[in-house]
Amino acid sequence: MPSTLQLNHVVVPVTAIAIAYLGSKAVLLVGEGRQLKIFDNGNNGVLRSIQVFQSQSVHGIQCRWEAEQEHLVCMIWGGRAATILHLKLDTSESCTVSITEELVTNDWISDACFLNISKTVNDDQSSFLQAIFLTSHNVLYTLHSDSYPQSQVPSRLFCNLVAAGPTSVLYSAHVVVLASGEVLIAAGTVFGEVLVWSSGLGTICNDFDASSSARLLHTFRGHEGSVFGVTIAETADRVLHGLGTCVVASCSDDRTIRIWNLSSSSGGSARTNVQTGFRSQFIEREMKSEKCIASIMGHLSRIWGLRFLSDSEEGPRWMSFGEDSTCQTWHLVEVLAHETTMSTDKQPRYKIQHDEGYAYHIGKDIWGVAVDLQKENVSLVLTGGADGRIVSYNIPNADIHRWTTNVPILRDSPVKIQLISRGLLIDDPSQSPSPAERAFSAIQGRWALYRVLESAISAYPSGSFKGIATLTQRLPTDHDYDAEYLYIEEGELTTRQGLTMRGSRRYVYRYQRASRSITTWFVKTDNIASVDYLFHKVRFCNIPYPIPKDEFLPSDYVTTAKGHHLCVNDNYDAEYEFQYQDSNLIQWNLKYTVQGPKKDYTASATYTRTAEAESSSAKGMNSVKKRDLAHGGKGSVRTDTFKNYYWIGRSEVIATTAHGCIFLGTLEQNHTTENLLSDTAGATKPRTFSWNLVDQISELYSYSIAVSVSSHTVIVGAANGNLYCYQRSSQEITNFPKLSRKITGLFAGELEGSEAGHRNVAAIACCVSETTAYYFSFVTDEATPKDVSTFVKLTLPPNFVVTSVCFTPIKHLLVLGSRSGAVCFYDRSLFHLTNPISACCTIQQTHIDDAITTIGIVQKENSEMLGNFLLTAGRDGQFALHGVHVRREDGETIVKLECLHTSVPPFGPNIEGACFDSESQDLLLWGFRSTDFVVWNETKRMEVMKVPCGGAHRSWAYSPSNDGQNGGVFIWTKASTCNVQAQSKASHRVLQAGGHGREIKAIAICPLKINLDSDHGYLVATGAEDTTIRISFATRDNVGSSQSMKCLGVISKHNTGIQQLQWSPDGRYLFSAAGLEEFYVWRIQRVPCLVIGFLCIAQCPKVTESSDLRIMGFDVEPIVVDVNTEHEKYAVIMAYSDSTIRIWSFDTSTSGQGFELLSLGIYKSCCLTQIRFLKLGDESYLLTAGTDGYIAFWPIEGLQAQEDCHSSLPMHRFGQNAESFDIDLKWNRQHRIHQSSIKCLTSHRVSDSEVLVATGGDDNAIAFTHITFNAELPNLPSCSTLLLTRAHASTVTGIQCLGPRLDPGLSDGRTSWTFATISNDQRLKTWVLTIDVRKSGAGGLSVRKGTSLHSSIADASCMEITPEACGEKRIMVAGIGVETWDVTDV
C-alpha cells in the first residue's frame, strides 16, 4: 500500500468572511480555500474547522439565525458550488455542525441571500425554500432543501430558475430581499455598467418559472473598467440628508468609487443590446445614462469591493477594499454653496470625502470583509486578505481619544499671568482694572486698519492706507515695565493721484502697573524688534481711577486718551478713542496731528475686529514671523507655543514653552465596562486632558531642553547652561550646578539599586561646541532631589555628537550613541576620579552613518544570559541586538560588542524609540513613516498605533502603556497647536497571523529539531515575491494533532522576489538567492526576547556590472580545510540566468568578505533551472537541468562533500584569481528527459555508486532517472529514465522523495521508493517507484500511482520534506499560501 496523506495545517488567502450570532454569542465564519473556520470572537479561538467543498474555494457566506430551532443557518458558495451549513452551540460552549451535500450549479454564483423566512414549496412540505442566488449571467435562482433540518443528518439541495435579468456577464452583484418580499438586484458587469433590476417571488412559492417578471430599474454607466464591486445600502429606508433615497455604491477597475441614486425609477424601460467595450460611441450617443451622485478616485490600485458602515453625523459612510491591501473609509457630504462655481445642473450636489485608511495587511489583496452594525454609530469591521491574516477593529475606535489644546497662557493673557505672579494685579473680577490696563489688555491681537492722510504740503501726499495691524505680546525687554507688545502694521497706501505703494510701521507698547500707564516707543532701524526711544505716553481721561465703591462702568462706553511728542521742531499730538460694547473693545481710533516747519498733516486711523483681519493676518504674518519672531535673543517676539514634551508616567507630561513656562499636563481616566463584541471590554478610556502651570523661568525663554526619568523626575537645561530639576512628588523645581555653555543634549536614567521612594538617578549633559560631556548623579526621595553626589567630565571621541545614552548594569558600563552611528563605552567604576574620563572602547558604524536614537538593556526573566545584551535602534531604519563581552586586562576594561540580530521593521526610515513591554515582554518600536507616527510590535509583527501627525520634524513625545495591551499616549505639535492621542489598546486585533502577502517561491526546513519554551519543533524558512523571508517555528498544537506555525522573524533585505533558500547541515546558516544577483548568507541563532536572531554575515559578489542576472538555483556543501580550525567553510555552486555556473568558496570566519570565486562554466544558449552537487563513487559532479529538458554532468575534482568532521581532502583551487581566469568548468554528458523545461529536481543516494534523480517539467510529466557509476568510464555515468507523461494536468512544480519503502513482497534485487509531486493543477500525488537491478536500463524501473488529493495551494511553486532529525515525516507545499500534510507509511 502507498503512503497515506492527511492534511494537517494550511495557511491560504481568506476569500470570504462573515459575522453572526449564536444567540448572544458572536462567531466569525472564515472561508480559507475549501475550509471553513469558525472563530469565537470573544477569545479569538477556533471552535471548528471543516471542509465544505471537494475542490472549490469558498467565495461567499450568508447567515441567518433560526430562533425556534436555536441554530445558525449558513449558505456557503464558491464558484459553481453551494451548500447549507447548520451550526448549533451546545452546553459545553462547543459547536455542533451539520452540512448538506454539495450542490453544483451550471454557472458561477455571484451573490446569494437568505429569504426572511423559510417557505414550504410543496404541499407535502417535502421541500423548503432556503435562499436565492444570482449567477454570473444575471440569472436568479432559488435554493431548496429536501427537508428542513432538525438533526445532524445532511439534506439534499436543488435549485429552480426564478427570473433572468438583462443579458450580461457579471463581475459582481448584490442581492437584497426587501420587506415587501421583492428581490432587488444590483449587478456590476464586465463592461462597466451597473444594472439595477428587481423580481417578485410570487404569492405561491411553487409558481416560479422563467417567465417571472424581471423589471429593469436603472442602467448606470460611467465606469471605464469592469465593475468589481457593487453594494446596495443596507435597507431601502436608508436616506441621504436632503435626498430622501436609497443608494448603491460601485467600484471598478478604473480605481473610482461611484454613488448612484435609486430614488427615481426608470419605469422598467427595456435595455437594448449594445456594443461591448468601454466608451462605445453607440452608448455615448444613443443611450441615456443616469448620472452618479458623486465619484472619487479611490485606491492606488484596483478596488475589489465596498461595504456600507453605520451612518455618521456627516452622512452615509462606507468602506472600500482592494488590491493595495488597505481599507479606506468615506462619507458623502453635500457641496456647500460657496464651493460651487458652476451652474447647478452641471455641478454635483454631493461629493465623496475620505475619512481614514487602514493598512493592517501585507502584500496584495483584501478579499473578505464583514461589517457588523449591531451597535449604533459603531461598525465592527473584520477583514481577511491574501496574506491569510484576519483582523478586527471598530470604526470609530472607542479606544482612541484625541484632544487639541493650546498653551494655557494664550487663553489667560500672558500680561495678566505675569502681573499676578509679581503681585501687581489681583485676579478678582469684583475689582475693575484701570482704564489703561483695560485698554492695554484689549488691544492685543489683530486688527483691520484703515487710515486717512490729509496733508497741507504737496511734499507729503494725501490718500488712504489699508492693511492689518498686529499687537503681539512678548516678555518685557525692560524690567521697569510689566508687559509689552510689538506693534506691526503692513498694508498698501493709495494716493489721491492713484499711485499705490506698500508700507509698514513698527512700534512697541509698554504697560507699567505702578503708574498705571501705557507708553509708546520707537524701534531701531537696524533691528526692528529692539526698542529705541520713547515716542509718547498715553494719558487717559473721562473716567476716574480707582472707581468709587458701588460704582461700575456701563457695558457700552468710550474712553479717550492723549499723547504728545516733540521731534526737534515738529509736534506730534496723538488722540486715542476706545469703544467698548458688552465690555469688549470692538473698535479704537488713533489720530495724529503733526505740525512743524516742513510738516502739516493729520493721520486718522480706525482699528476694527473683523473676519477679514483674522484671515488676512494669518496670511500676512507668515513673513513677519520669519523676520521678527525668530528664535533667540533678548527682545525676540513670539506668540507662546509649546516647545518640548516629556512624559513622566503613563498619564502626566511636562511641557516647556517658548516663553519659559513649564506646564504639567494630566490625562484623567475613567474606567468603563462597556462591551462591544469583546473588543472594548474592560477598556480604560481617557476622559479629559488638562494643563497646570508649574513655573515660569526667564532663563528658559526661547530655548530649553529636558529629559524625564521614569515617573518622578524631569531635568531641564537652559541656553545659559543652567540646570533645573522638577520633582513630581513635591511639585518643586530646584537648581543644579550650572554648566559653561548652552546645553544641547540631555539624557538621564535610573541606576542599579533604585527602589520605590529612593532612586539613584544619573544624567549626561552636552554643551555646544564642546568635546566633553558632563556626567552627574543624585538621589531622589519623595520630597526633593538631593545635591549632586558625582560630577565627572567625559572626554568624547573625535566628531562624536551624543544622541542616546544607556546606563547598563553590565560591569557598570555607560554606553553613548552618536549621530554618526558609533557607540562608545565608559567604565563607571572610574567616575570617582577628578580627571576627565576617556572612553574605554569606541565602535564605529554600529548603525552605518546614521544617528543612534535609542540604546536599551535586553532583559528577560527566563533568559540564561540576562543583562549581557543591548538593543540599539537608529535613523537607518534598523534595530539590532548585541552581545556585550567585558573583560579586564592590566587594569583596563576591554569591551567587545557582537551583533547578533538586525532587522528593518515595515516603517521608517526613522526609528526614534524602543522598549520591552514590562507585562508581555513584547518589543515595541516607534518612529515615523512619511507623515505618520507609527508604533510597531516586533514580537507580534503588527502595527499597534498610527497617528497622522505631519512627520518627524516637530516636537513630540510618546509614552507606551506597558500593560501588555499595546496602548499608549502620543503628544505632538502641529500648526503651533498641541495635539494628544491616547489609546488603551492596540488599534486592531489579530485573530489569525497569516503569512506572506505574495506568492511563496521558496521553502526550506531546518535539518535539526529544536526546543522553544518546552515545545518541540523545527524552523521553516519561506521566501516570496514580496521580497521577504519569514522564519517560522512549526510545532504541534496543545491537542497534539494539528500543526501550528508561529512567525519568529521577517528578513527584509532582498530587493526582488526570493528564488531559493537552503539551510546549512548544522542549521546555523541560511542561504538565500534572488534576482539582481543577490545572494546572502544569514547566521541564525537564539537570542533573548526575540527567540531567534538573524544576521547577514556575507553577500556574494556581483558578476556583472548591471547586476541584471537572476540566480536560478544553487547548492551548498560543507568542506573542511583544516581539522584544527573552528570556523566553517562551504562550497557554493550557482546557476545564473545567462546559462553560466560558478563555484564559490565561502569562509564563515571572514566577516562580510568570505566569498572567493573558484571556477566558471558556460552551458548552451538554454537557461539553466536546477543545479546540484552529485557524488558517484569516487567522482564528484555538478548536475544541472535546463529549459531544453536535458540534465548535464559537470565533472569536478578535488572537492569532496563532508562525510564527517575529522578528515577531508583539501579543496583544489581551479581559478588563479577572481578578476581574470579561464573557463575551466565544462560539461561532458547530456541526457534528455523532458520535452521542455525542467521545473523541479530532487536526488537521492541509493548506494555509493548509484543515485536516483526525479524531475518534473512544464510538459506535465514526471521522470525518474537511475544514475550509476561506470568504472570503465568514470567521467560518463550511466543513465536510465522512466518518463510518465500526463502525470498531472499542468506544470509539475515540486517533487520530493519520501524515502524507501519496506515492502516484504519485494524479492531480492528490488527496492521501492515513494515520491510526492505537486502541480499547478492543485493536485498532490504520491508515486511508488520500484528498481529492479536484475533488469538493465529503463526496464528495471516501474512506477505505480498512489494517492491523489486536492491541494488548497494555488500556483504551487515548491515542496519540501521534513528531515529525518525532526522525527515526523511531513510534506510542506508552498505557493499562494502554505500547507502541511502528515505522511503515514502503510
Side-chain angles (χ1 to χ4, degrees):
M1 293 291 291
S3 300
T4 61
L5 304 181
Q6 178 65 44
L7 182 63
N8 182 295
H9 176 75
V10 61
V11 177
V12 293
V14 176
T15 52
I17 191 168
I19 185 166
Y21 290 86
L22 282 170
S24 59
K25 187 181 186 66
V27 294
L28 310 178
L29 294 93
V30 178
E32 297 180 351
R34 300 175 299 161
Q35 302 289 317
L36 179 74
K37 288 184 179 179
I38 304 170
F39 288 84
D40 184 343
N41 190 62
N43 57 22
N44 298 351
V46 178
L47 298 175
R48 287 290 300 272
S49 179
I50 58 174
Q51 179 180 327
V52 292
F53 296 128
Q54 292 297 319
S55 60
Q56 178 61 52
S57 296
V58 176
H59 291 160
I61 305 171
Q62 284 286 346
C63 302
R64 183 183 65 191
W65 172 248
E66 294 284 357
E68 294 182 2
Q69 287 76 27
E70 294 186 347
H71 65 211
L72 187 70
V73 183
C74 306
M75 179 180 176
I76 305 168
W77 69 92
R80 297 189 301 127
T83 188
I84 295 291
L85 180 142
H86 300 269
L87 184 63
K88 191 169 185 178
L89 192 67
D90 57 26
T91 56
S92 61
E93 294 294 312
S94 61
C95 286
T96 302
V97 178
S98 62
I99 188 168
T100 65
E101 182 182 349
E102 176 181 336
L103 170 69
V104 179
T105 65
N106 59 2
D107 200 357
W108 193 280
I109 299 176
S110 296
D111 193 36
C113 179
F114 275 107
L115 297 176
N116 295 330
I117 58 172
S118 297
K119 297 183 179 181
T120 303
V121 177
N122 299 329
D123 294 337
D124 59 0
Q125 298 189 2
S126 61
S127 177
F128 291 84
L129 178 61
Q130 296 279 0
I132 53 176
F133 63 89
L134 186 74
T135 67
S136 61
H137 283 82
N138 213 13
V139 180
L140 188 66
Y141 290 85
T142 58
L143 184 68
H144 304 264
S145 61
D146 58 357
S147 62
Y148 195 81
Q150 299 288 340
S151 64
Q152 303 302 316
V153 180
S155 58
R156 186 174 60 90
L157 294 177
F158 54 95
C159 59
N160 288 333
L161 174 66
V162 176
T167 303
S168 57
V169 178
L170 307 185
Y171 222 123
S172 58
H174 188 198
V175 180
V176 175
V177 178
L178 303 180
S180 61
E182 188 176 17
V183 181
L184 182 64
I185 298 158
T189 71
V190 172
F191 295 106
E193 293 179 315
V194 177
L195 307 176
V196 181
W197 59 285
S198 65
S199 174
L201 293 178
T203 57
I204 303 176
C205 296
N206 56 7
D207 285 345
F208 298 123
D209 55 46
S211 62
S212 298
S213 61
R215 190 165 62 99
L216 178 64
L217 303 178
H218 299 273
T219 301
F220 297 126
R221 299 185 181 92
H223 282 297
E224 298 179 11
S226 299
V227 180
F228 291 145
V230 61
T231 182
I232 303 171
E234 183 188 13
T235 67
D237 301 325
R238 183 177 292 265
V239 177
L240 292 178
H241 295 279
L243 191 60
T245 185
C246 181
V247 296
V248 61
S250 61
C251 59
S252 167
D253 193 18
D254 62 8
R255 277 74 164 167
T256 64
I257 298 171
R258 295 176 181 265
I259 305 297
W260 312 90
N261 186 356
L262 297 184
S263 61
S264 56
S265 174
S266 59
S269 59
R271 173 179 176 265
T272 60
N273 294 328
V274 298
Q275 296 179 8
T276 59
F278 305 111
R279 293 183 175 273
S280 169
Q281 294 182 358
F282 179 80
I283 293 178
E284 293 182 353
R285 295 177 182 177
E286 304 297 332
M287 300 288 294
K288 289 186 178 181
S289 175
E290 301 172 73
K291 293 184 178 180
C292 65
I293 299 173
S295 65
I296 194 171
M297 183 67 70
H299 292 240
L300 298 176
S301 55
R302 291 176 291 184
I303 310 173
W304 297 135
L306 305 139
R307 298 289 186 274
F308 274 100
L309 307 173
S310 58
D311 285 347
S312 65
E313 295 180 357
E314 293 83 3
R317 297 186 305 166
W318 64 93
M319 167 179 282
S320 60
F321 54 95
E323 190 178 28
D324 59 2
S325 73
T326 69
C327 292
Q328 308 290 335
T329 56
W330 317 82
H331 71 272
L332 195 65
V333 295
E334 189 170 1
V335 178
L336 300 178
H338 66 83
E339 299 180 31
T340 304
T341 58
M342 303 173 62
S343 59
T344 56
D345 59 335
K346 296 182 180 181
Q347 180 69 19
R349 182 179 174 184
Y350 295 88
K351 67 178 181 180
I352 299 173
Q353 184 168 314
H354 181 260
D355 293 331
E356 196 165 352
Y358 303 86
Y360 299 143
H361 294 267
I362 59 176
K364 291 176 60 177
D365 299 319
I366 291 179
W367 297 116
V369 174
V371 178
D372 183 70
L373 305 176
Q374 293 293 319
K375 192 171 182 64
E376 185 178 0
N377 299 327
V378 177
S379 302
L380 175 65
V381 177
L382 298 111
T383 60
D387 56 359
R389 173 172 290 194
I390 304 171
V391 299
S392 70
Y393 48 93
N394 288 322
I395 301 178
N397 195 328
D399 295 312
I400 298 178
H401 302 263
R402 295 188 178 109
W403 298 268
T404 300
T405 69
N406 288 317
V407 181
I409 203 169
L410 296 180
R411 295 195 295 269
D412 292 329
S413 170
V415 176
K416 182 178 180 182
I417 287 180
Q418 292 171 34
L419 295 179
I420 293 174
S421 65
R422 298 182 185 186
L424 301 176
L425 178 63
I426 300 176
D427 191 17
D428 187 353
S430 65
Q431 296 188 12
S432 298
S434 67
E437 182 180 322
R438 183 188 298 271
F440 189 85
S441 298
I443 62 175
Q444 178 188 1
R446 300 179 179 91
W447 301 85
L449 167 62
Y450 183 76
R451 180 181 292 114
V452 176
L453 298 173
E454 296 285 349
S455 176
I457 301 175
S458 59
Y460 289 86
S462 300
S464 60
F465 179 88
K466 187 177 182 180
I468 297 296
T470 305
L471 290 96
T472 305
Q473 62 86 20
R474 67 181 186 183
L475 289 178
T477 55
D478 189 332
H479 292 295
D480 291 336
Y481 295 89
D482 301 292
E484 186 172 298
Y485 295 147
L486 174 65
Y487 173 93
I488 304 174
E489 72 172 47
E490 290 186 338
E492 189 174 80
L493 173 66
T494 303
T495 66
R496 290 181 178 176
Q497 289 77 25
L499 300 177
T500 60
M501 62 190 75
R502 297 289 300 177
S504 64
R505 287 186 181 181
R506 304 288 189 275
Y507 296 109
V508 167
Y509 282 81
R510 287 173 168 170
Y511 178 76
Q512 189 177 57
R513 174 65 176 173
S515 61
R516 302 186 181 91
S517 63
I518 300 174
T519 52
T520 307
W521 301 73
F522 291 105
V523 296
K524 294 180 179 180
T525 56
D526 58 342
N527 186 353
I528 58 176
S530 300
V531 179
D532 194 357
Y533 59 93
L534 179 66
F535 185 10
H536 62 268
K537 183 176 181 179
V538 182
R539 296 178 175 85
F540 282 81
C541 51
N542 297 341
I543 299 180
Y545 187 84
I547 299 175
K549 187 177 181 180
D550 300 329
E551 293 186 17
F552 299 94
L553 288 172
S555 60
D556 300 340
Y557 63 95
V558 176
T559 60
T560 59
K562 294 182 179 181
H564 176 74
H565 174 71
L566 176 63
C567 181
V568 188
N569 296 324
D570 300 325
N571 287 286
Y572 289 77
D573 291 310
E575 300 179 20
Y576 292 84
E577 183 180 78
F578 301 92
Q579 301 178 12
Y580 295 89
Q581 184 176 5
D582 295 331
S583 300
N584 296 318
L585 182 64
I586 61 170
Q587 177 178 307
W588 60 289
N589 305 316
L590 174 57
K591 179 181 179 181
Y592 284 107
T593 301
V594 183
Q595 291 184 340
K598 298 182 180 181
K599 295 181 180 179
D600 187 3
Y601 69 89
T602 61
S604 303
T606 301
Y607 299 83
T608 56
R609 298 275 197 194
T610 65
E612 178 185 1
E614 296 295 328
S615 60
S616 299
S617 297
K619 298 176 182 178
M621 283 301 294
N622 288 334
S623 59
V624 177
K625 288 181 179 179
K626 294 179 181 178
R627 185 171 61 253
D628 295 337
L629 311 184
H631 290 268
K634 185 176 180 180
S636 63
V637 183
R638 289 177 300 173
T639 300
D640 201 9
T641 57
F642 287 113
K643 291 288 293 182
N644 298 295
Y645 308 98
Y646 310 93
W647 287 100
I648 49 173
R650 302 181 184 179
S651 59
E652 291 184 325
V653 61
I654 287 290
T656 60
T657 73
H659 285 174
C661 295
I662 301 177
F663 285 93
L664 175 65
T666 304
L667 189 66
E668 298 181 4
Q669 298 180 343
N670 177 36
H671 294 272
T672 180
T673 57
E674 180 180 2
N675 189 319
L676 177 61
L677 289 179
S678 301
D679 224 39
T680 59
T684 300
K685 294 190 174 182
R687 183 176 54 187
T688 59
F689 189 85
S690 60
W691 292 106
N692 291 296
L693 180 65
V694 175
D695 201 352
Q696 184 174 14
I697 303 173
S698 59
E699 287 77 7
L700 301 181
Y701 182 80
S702 179
Y703 177 84
S704 64
I705 188 172
V707 62
S708 60
V709 184
S710 297
S711 59
H712 51 83
T713 304
V714 176
I715 304 172
V716 185
N720 64 353
N722 279 3
L723 284 169
Y724 306 91
C725 182
Y726 169 75
Q727 186 76 9
R728 179 65 186 95
S729 57
S730 62
Q731 300 188 13
E732 294 182 356
I733 295 179
T734 57
N735 292 349
F736 274 177
K738 181 179 179 181
L739 302 183
S740 58
R741 295 190 178 186
K742 178 180 180 180
I743 302 174
T744 56
L746 201 54
F747 313 89
E750 288 189 9
L751 299 178
E752 56 273 14
S754 296
E755 56 186 26
H758 185 88
R759 296 179 173 91
N760 301 320
V761 178
I764 295 289
C766 302
C767 296
V768 64
S769 302
E770 288 193 1
T771 58
T772 59
Y774 300 91
Y775 172 93
F776 57 94
S777 62
F778 56 94
V779 178
T780 65
D781 53 28
E782 295 182 356
T784 58
K786 298 181 180 180
D787 294 337
V788 172
S789 58
T790 304
F791 190 88
V792 180
K793 287 186 178 181
L794 306 178
T795 301
L796 297 174
N799 303 318
F800 196 99
V801 179
V802 182
T803 56
S804 54
V805 172
C806 180
F807 305 91
T808 76
I810 307 173
K811 304 295 184 181
H812 299 285
L813 288 177
L814 168 65
V815 190
L816 306 183
S818 78
R819 183 181 295 171
S820 59
V823 295
C824 65
F825 295 83
Y826 292 85
D827 187 351
R828 285 192 285 125
S829 64
L830 304 177
F831 283 9
H832 63 280
L833 303 176
T834 57
N835 296 329
I837 308 299
S838 299
C840 59
C841 178
T842 302
I843 301 173
Q844 301 292 337
Q845 290 195 325
T846 304
H847 280 264
I848 313 178
D849 294 324
D850 290 295
I852 299 176
T853 57
T854 183
I855 305 176
I857 305 170
V858 180
Q859 293 182 342
K860 192 174 182 182
E861 293 180 359
N862 59 357
S863 174
E864 298 178 356
M865 298 173 287
L866 178 64
N868 293 332
F869 297 88
L870 288 180
L871 168 73
T872 62
R875 295 200 176 107
D876 60 349
Q878 294 189 91
F879 77 91
L881 288 180
H882 309 269
V884 183
H885 308 280
V886 185
R887 72 179 190 274
R888 299 187 185 275
E889 292 183 2
D890 300 330
E892 295 185 359
T893 302
I894 300 176
V895 181
K896 179 183 177 182
L897 194 66
E898 179 187 7
C899 186
L900 304 176
H901 171 83
T902 61
S903 184
V904 180
F907 72 91
N910 295 343
I911 301 178
E912 299 292 344
C915 76
F916 288 94
D917 190 289
S918 57
E919 183 69 23
S920 64
Q921 290 300 314
D922 289 350
L923 174 58
L924 301 178
L925 304 165
W926 56 86
F928 292 89
R929 178 179 60 214
S930 184
T931 59
D932 295 333
F933 174 80
V934 176
V935 182
W936 173 261
N937 187 318
E938 175 66 17
T939 305
K940 291 185 170 61
R941 300 292 307 173
M942 61 179 288
E943 177 186 298
V944 298
M945 186 177 187
K946 184 184 76 170
V947 183
C949 65
H953 301 290
R954 63 197 63 253
S955 298
W956 63 273
Y958 173 69
S959 174
S961 61
N962 278 322
D963 57 1
Q965 298 296 318
N966 292 306
V969 190
F970 181 65
I971 184 170
W972 76 99
T973 299
K974 184 176 182 179
S976 301
T977 301
C978 172
N979 301 268
V980 183
Q981 175 168 316
Q983 61 185 59
S984 58
K985 57 177 65 175
S987 57
H988 62 285
R989 287 191 302 156
V990 177
L991 283 73
Q992 181 172 282
H996 288 279
R998 298 287 302 275
E999 301 89 341
I1000 298 174
K1001 293 297 184 181
I1003 184 170
I1005 301 175
C1006 183
L1008 300 180
K1009 192 172 184 178
I1010 64 173
N1011 299 326
L1012 294 181
D1013 298 331
S1014 70
D1015 289 332
H1016 305 282
Y1018 48 92
L1019 295 180
V1020 179
T1022 54
E1025 285 293 336
D1026 59 9
T1027 74
T1028 65
I1029 302 170
R1030 298 175 72 91
I1031 308 295
S1032 303
F1033 178 60
T1035 183
R1036 295 280 190 183
D1037 63 10
N1038 295 330
V1039 180
S1041 56
S1042 63
Q1043 176 180 272
S1044 63
M1045 295 273 288
K1046 179 182 179 181
C1047 180
L1048 301 180
V1050 177
I1051 301 175
S1052 303
K1053 187 175 178 65
H1054 285 282
N1055 296 302
T1056 60
I1058 310 300
Q1059 184 73 16
Q1060 185 181 339
L1061 299 170
Q1062 185 174 334
W1063 291 88
S1064 64
D1066 59 4
R1068 295 178 57 193
Y1069 301 98
L1070 177 67
F1071 302 85
S1072 62
L1076 300 179
E1077 302 174 23
E1078 295 177 344
F1079 187 91
Y1080 298 118
V1081 183
W1082 308 88
R1083 184 169 62 225
I1084 311 297
Q1085 57 190 321
R1086 293 289 300 271
V1087 296
C1089 295
L1090 294 180
V1091 183
I1092 293 295
F1094 41 84
L1095 179 69
C1096 182
I1097 61 172
Q1099 176 181 2
C1100 185
K1102 303 295 182 67
V1103 298
T1104 62
E1105 293 183 359
S1106 58
S1107 301
D1108 58 352
L1109 297 182
R1110 176 177 286 271
I1111 299 175
M1112 304 301 296
F1114 70 89
D1115 198 9
V1116 178
E1117 281 289 338
I1119 55 177
V1120 175
V1121 178
D1122 189 345
V1123 295
N1124 296 321
T1125 59
E1126 296 181 355
H1127 66 267
E1128 299 175 69
K1129 203 165 188 178
Y1130 294 88
V1132 182
I1133 54 173
M1134 300 184 194
Y1136 292 84
S1137 56
D1138 62 350
S1139 298
T1140 62
I1141 64 174
R1142 288 170 174 82
I1143 302 180
W1144 303 83
S1145 71
F1146 169 65
D1147 193 336
T1148 61
S1149 64
T1150 308
S1151 177
Q1153 303 293 330
F1155 280 93
E1156 182 180 3
L1157 183 59
L1158 302 178
S1159 188
L1160 170 67
I1162 299 179
Y1163 191 57
K1164 300 185 300 183
S1165 59
C1166 301
C1167 183
L1168 295 174
T1169 59
Q1170 307 288 329
I1171 188 167
R1172 296 288 189 278
F1173 278 110
L1174 193 64
K1175 184 72 185 309
L1176 283 174
D1178 296 331
E1179 300 297 324
S1180 297
Y1181 301 89
L1182 302 184
L1183 178 66
T1184 61
T1187 56
D1188 57 357
Y1190 284 84
I1191 59 173
F1193 296 87
W1194 307 65
I1196 56 178
E1197 298 178 358
L1199 183 64
Q1200 180 173 325
Q1202 184 179 12
E1203 297 288 350
D1204 52 62
C1205 296
H1206 302 290
S1207 64
S1208 181
L1209 295 177
M1211 185 177 62
H1212 176 71
R1213 197 178 290 263
F1214 288 91
Q1216 299 301 316
N1217 58 70
E1219 296 180 356
S1220 60
F1221 63 88
D1222 298 331
I1223 300 174
D1224 48 15
L1225 191 62
K1226 299 180 180 179
W1227 56 273
N1228 65 353
R1229 178 173 181 180
Q1230 285 183 303
H1231 179 68
R1232 179 69 177 268
I1233 297 180
H1234 291 271
Q1235 295 180 359
S1236 53
S1237 179
I1238 297 176
K1239 291 294 186 180
C1240 54
L1241 180 149
T1242 186
S1243 62
H1244 194 87
R1245 176 173 291 189
V1246 179
S1247 66
D1248 290 342
S1249 61
E1250 54 183 334
V1251 174
L1252 189 60
V1253 174
T1255 55
D1258 60 7
D1259 56 358
N1260 306 348
I1262 62 173
F1264 301 97
T1265 302
H1266 188 206
I1267 304 174
T1268 57
F1269 176 70
N1270 189 345
E1272 298 179 357
L1273 297 172
N1275 289 333
L1276 296 176
S1278 301
C1279 300
S1280 302
T1281 298
L1282 174 64
L1283 180 68
L1284 274 71
T1285 60
R1286 296 193 299 273
H1288 283 271
S1290 186
T1291 301
V1292 181
T1293 55
I1295 187 168
Q1296 288 293 335
C1297 179
L1298 300 182
R1301 289 178 50 80
L1302 300 177
D1303 192 344
L1306 296 177
S1307 60
D1308 294 339
R1310 291 192 299 168
T1311 56
S1312 180
W1313 305 79
T1314 303
F1315 288 82
T1317 59
I1318 188 67
S1319 167
N1320 286 338
D1321 61 4
Q1322 291 188 239
R1323 303 298 299 182
L1324 176 63
K1325 297 182 179 182
T1326 60
W1327 312 84
V1328 178
L1329 176 69
T1330 301
I1331 303 176
D1332 190 348
V1333 297
R1334 297 171 301 180
K1335 300 179 181 180
S1336 61
L1341 302 177
S1342 62
V1343 66
R1344 57 190 173 90
K1345 183 178 178 181
T1347 58
S1348 177
L1349 301 172
H1350 180 272
S1351 172
S1352 298
I1353 305 301
D1355 293 336
S1357 59
C1358 51
M1359 173 194 290
E1360 276 292 326
I1361 306 297
T1362 54
E1364 293 181 1
C1366 296
E1368 299 169 338
K1369 188 177 295 184
R1370 291 177 180 171
I1371 300 174
M1372 298 192 73
V1373 179
I1376 302 181
V1378 61
E1379 66 181 4
T1380 304
W1381 297 79
D1382 288 336
V1383 181
T1384 304
D1385 292 328
V1386 179

